[in-house]
Amino acid sequence: MTTAPTNVHGSGGPAVPRTPADVVDASITAALLHGVAGRYAEAIDVLARGAGDVAGFGVVALAMRRESGDHEFVSFVGDEEGRAMVLGKHLPAAALVEQTEEADAWGPLRFLPAERATPTELSWTPDLAKVDHPDAWDPDDWFSALLLRADGELTGVLTLDVPFDGLRPDADTRARLADYVQRTAAVLENLDQRHRVEQQLALAAASREVIRRADPRQGARAVVEACAPALVDALGADAAWFHVVDGPSVIAHRDSPDDRRVVLEEAVTTPEELRLLTRVTRHLWSHQELLMRSLFSRPHPGISDADLAAVDAWLERKDVTTVLVVPLGTRDEPLGTVVLARSGPQRDWSDIEERAARDLGDDLGDALHTAAVFAEKRAMVGYKEQLIATVAHELKNPITAVLGNLDVLAELIAPTPPLDASRRAAERMGALVDDLLALSEADGPQAVPTAPARFDEAVVETVEMLRTVAAAKEQTLVVAVPSDPVPVLVPRGGLDRVLGNLVGNAIKYTPEGGTVVVDLEVAPAVGDSPATAVLRVVDTGIGIAEEDLGRVFNAFVRSADPVARRETGTGLGLAIVARTVQRAGGSVHVDSVHGEGSTFTATLPLATPSVPRG
């Protein structure tokens, strides 16, 4: 194969300078210009190509050292087939050490003739016929330049192949290349580091987007389905298999490498694959490691050769080039696994991507753990609410029977204090059971009303019903509603309970001579926010202590205020209000000053179309 000299300025530019010094200067200048413009891949290619021009070689590969000790190929110029095979792959540290130890050393240069060379795990051999010469270049010769810092630390390796003259490098060639490497090593490292910082910032932003999508309150499946497409995009994968212990198994994939859409499907995992995944995941989690497998994988300490072979066989069956296995977990237990996959002639995972994947695995593990806690709490709450509903139903009939028998007894004998006390006690038990049943109804499945209820009518009727109670305490009871209908999609019974509790409480906890204002208005739509009905119940009562404000809408909570405790109550009224309003897509909150009064505000979405008045 014959390769022509390249142009360090790119296609269409001026011819290659003739002297090695000019090649160095032009290469560095062009590289820096590309770097300033943010085109770091082009900048590194320019410097790699310049090394070939100086030394008279048509193919040059550049591998930069990574945190693991391996070297990642960041540039390959001179052969498109070789570029597709090598670019982005990792050269294991052990293979590089073995070759450099066996090679002839000429300062920073290393030359290993084919007759002494052992093929590396990552080999690319050009299609090149040997010339008829005692120093003819052999396609399996290895000629490299070590990029060294001033302290002697290795930062990268330039490997050259396909000499223009078909010969092994002579003294003059070696001198020119050594000078070039010495002058460009720092520039190459700087460009590489700047590019890596840019990658880190981009991955950090993408990672935040992945985690932003996770809402543990919706459950493990919702976390996986929300995060999977963003994770595939963030880490440049073609597919990702998610498996959650005792949870969903989902695959997110692109239909083709050029397709930006990510499709979600149920992942079908055989029992053998599941056992293999479990063994590998437990090992990775216990050692806080990731597993990368590709065409050029190395042994992974702690995972058996048989399991690694099984992973490689899985890659082959799935037509995958490289995978990154990331354990998901929190505390001491793995909660699942995500297997990121790339297909086709693509690069391995960089150490920056591995670090981002590890951090995302931790964050997703936390989200899955929180989802499990939410699910457990929901189950406990559901059990408690079902128990309360069952007990309330069972008590309803006996209490009704007790009240009925007390009525019969009152007709047979004259009223007595014990009889009156028994009736009051039975009525309080009945009220408690009614509130428990109302709370159960507010928490249970609710059918969507077939027609809106008139909020304005419910307000007027509730106030009129309670007006005599307010009058008995010489209170001023004010009501204001719009002249037009205010329809909301809430069952009328639910509206009556909300109003009865809010207005009833305002009257109950307002001293004699106080004022209670019930105001209903319509807030118009603003932007994407729909129109709402806003109810305010304002009183001049005893108010709520600051330490009680955050829990007034919890079930069975009553104020510690002795004045408030003198009034009878079950501690369920405001819980019923909150759950009824929230289930209808609304909200409720309270503003209060202890000793001065309270304002309860309930907001409900306005139904459309309006209900005609009348």
Side-chain angles (χ1 to χ4, degrees):
M1 180 177 72
T2 302
T3 306
T6 54
N7 185 341
V8 298
H9 300 281
S11 60
V16 177
R18 293 186 179 278
T19 69
D22 287 342
V23 173
V24 176
D25 292 338
S27 297
I28 292 177
T29 300
L32 292 176
L33 288 173
H34 280 305
V36 169
R39 298 192 298 271
Y40 298 117
E42 292 94 324
I44 290 175
D45 282 351
V46 164
L47 289 177
R49 189 177 293 111
D53 289 333
V54 163
F57 280 76
V59 174
V60 184
L62 170 63
M64 300 300 292
R65 191 175 189 275
R66 298 308 181 212
E67 295 172 359
S68 63
D70 293 350
H71 285 69
E72 178 187 357
F73 283 94
V74 297
S75 177
F76 192 101
V77 296
D79 187 281
E80 289 304 316
E81 181 182 349
R83 182 180 180 88
M85 177 180 176
V86 173
L87 193 61
K89 298 300 188 291
H90 290 184
L91 175 62
L96 179 60
V97 169
E98 180 181 354
Q99 284 196 296
T100 53
E101 288 179 347
E102 294 292 328
D104 298 328
W106 300 319
L109 309 183
R110 298 292 183 270
F111 177 73
L112 185 62
E115 49 267 26
R116 302 205 319 262
T118 301
T120 65
E121 295 178 3
L122 181 61
S123 297
W124 174 80
T125 303
D127 180 16
L128 179 66
K130 292 179 65 174
V131 300
D132 185 15
H133 192 281
D135 290 325
W137 177 269
D138 189 288
D140 289 323
D141 283 345
W142 184 70
F143 182 41
S144 291
L146 306 183
L147 305 179
L148 302 170
R149 292 180 182 165
D151 59 5
E153 183 177 352
L154 179 67
T155 62
V157 181
L158 272 168
T159 302
L160 298 89
D161 209 333
V162 189
F164 298 144
D165 59 9
L167 303 178
R168 288 173 172 174
D170 57 19
D172 184 52
T173 297
R174 299 197 297 267
R176 291 197 307 271
L177 182 60
D179 178 67
Y180 182 89
V181 169
Q182 182 179 7
R183 295 181 60 183
T184 58
V187 179
L188 277 167
E189 184 182 9
N190 179 264
L191 288 169
D192 183 62
Q193 291 302 322
R194 289 176 64 183
H195 183 48
R196 286 166 60 77
V197 169
E198 185 181 71
Q199 284 183 304
Q200 288 174 328
L201 292 174
L203 270 176
S207 298
R208 287 194 297 272
E209 174 63 19
V210 174
I211 298 305
R212 187 189 66 79
R213 294 168 177 260
D215 184 358
R217 295 170 298 178
Q218 304 302 318
R221 176 172 288 277
V223 168
V224 170
E225 291 181 350
C227 294
L231 186 63
V232 169
D233 283 335
L235 291 171
D238 292 322
W241 282 266
F242 289 82
H243 174 71
V244 179
V245 177
D246 298 325
S249 291
V250 175
I251 177 173
H253 67 91
R254 307 185 196 279
D255 288 333
S256 68
D258 297 330
D259 192 353
R260 301 306 304 166
R261 295 178 302 108
V262 177
V263 180
L264 289 175
E265 297 178 358
E266 291 294 318
V268 179
T269 307
T270 67
E272 293 79 7
E273 291 174 340
L274 186 57
R275 286 192 291 269
L276 171 65
L277 188 62
T278 300
R279 288 194 303 272
V280 170
T281 299
R282 287 192 175 278
H283 170 81
L284 295 176
W285 180 254
S286 63
H287 292 79
Q288 289 297 288
E289 297 173 343
L290 308 182
L291 174 64
M292 183 173 73
R293 299 297 290 174
S294 69
L295 298 176
F296 311 105
S297 296
R298 55 191 180 278
H300 190 97
I303 300 179
S304 69
D305 291 341
D307 280 348
L308 291 177
V311 172
D312 293 343
W314 182 87
L315 264 70
E316 187 174 354
R317 289 197 304 274
K318 299 294 184 181
D319 194 26
V320 170
T321 305
T322 178
V323 295
L324 190 65
V325 182
V326 184
L328 310 176
T330 185
R331 298 180 182 175
D332 298 327
E333 281 295 316
L335 300 177
T337 314
V338 57
V339 181
L340 297 160
R342 288 172 174 161
S343 302
Q346 298 198 23
R347 57 190 172 85
D348 287 336
W349 310 90
S350 70
D351 55 341
I352 296 175
E353 290 169 331
E354 288 191 43
R355 192 182 309 119
R358 187 193 306 276
D359 292 342
L360 281 169
D362 292 341
D363 290 338
L364 287 174
D366 288 340
L368 291 173
H369 173 72
T370 305
V373 171
F374 270 115
E376 184 177 349
K377 287 185 176 180
R378 280 194 297 269
M380 292 176 64
V381 169
Y383 174 77
K384 181 188 74 173
E385 292 170 350
Q386 182 60 41
L387 179 63
I388 290 172
T390 301
V391 171
H393 279 289
E394 292 299 323
L395 288 175
K396 184 70 175 177
N397 289 336
I399 291 174
T400 302
V402 169
L403 286 170
N405 285 315
L406 287 174
D407 288 340
V408 173
L409 192 58
E411 294 176 359
L412 297 177
I413 62 175
T416 64
L419 188 61
D420 291 341
S422 297
R423 166 163 283 283
R424 287 196 299 273
E427 287 174 345
R428 288 188 64 181
M429 290 178 63
L432 175 60
V433 168
D434 288 341
D435 278 351
L436 287 172
L437 290 173
L439 185 66
S440 173
E441 182 181 340
D443 285 328
Q446 175 183 1
V448 177
T450 55
R454 289 278 298 275
F455 204 173
D456 53 310
E457 288 182 352
V459 169
V460 171
E461 291 175 10
T462 299
V463 169
E464 289 305 313
M465 182 179 64
L466 293 174
R467 192 174 291 280
T468 55
V469 181
K473 298 180 70 174
E474 299 182 350
Q475 295 173 345
T476 301
L477 184 57
V478 179
V479 61
V481 297
S483 57
D484 293 326
V486 183
V488 290
L489 282 175
V490 182
R492 177 57 189 264
L495 276 181
D496 290 340
R497 280 192 292 273
V498 168
L499 290 163
N501 279 300
L502 291 179
V503 180
N505 280 354
I507 295 172
K508 180 194 297 186
Y509 294 109
T510 297
E512 293 185 0
T515 300
V516 175
V517 177
V518 183
D519 176 75
L520 178 68
E521 66 176 5
V522 173
V526 178
D528 295 334
S529 301
T532 56
V534 182
L535 172 75
R536 294 183 183 88
V537 179
V538 186
D539 64 62
T540 58
I542 62 175
I544 302 169
E546 185 175 353
E547 60 268 22
D548 290 331
L549 281 175
R551 57 194 191 98
V552 293
F553 295 109
N554 295 343
F556 302 105
V557 169
R558 298 202 65 200
S559 173
D561 186 343
V563 177
R565 282 197 169 274
R566 286 201 292 266
E567 300 290 344
T568 60
T570 63
L572 293 175
L574 291 179
I576 293 170
V577 169
R579 298 184 191 185
T580 301
V581 170
Q582 289 166 0
R583 285 188 55 191
S587 62
V588 60
H589 71 274
V590 58
D591 297 301
S592 184
V593 177
H594 194 211
E596 297 183 13
S598 303
T599 299
F600 283 84
T601 304
T603 303
L604 287 167
L606 201 64
T608 53
S610 302
V611 177
R613 198 171 184 85

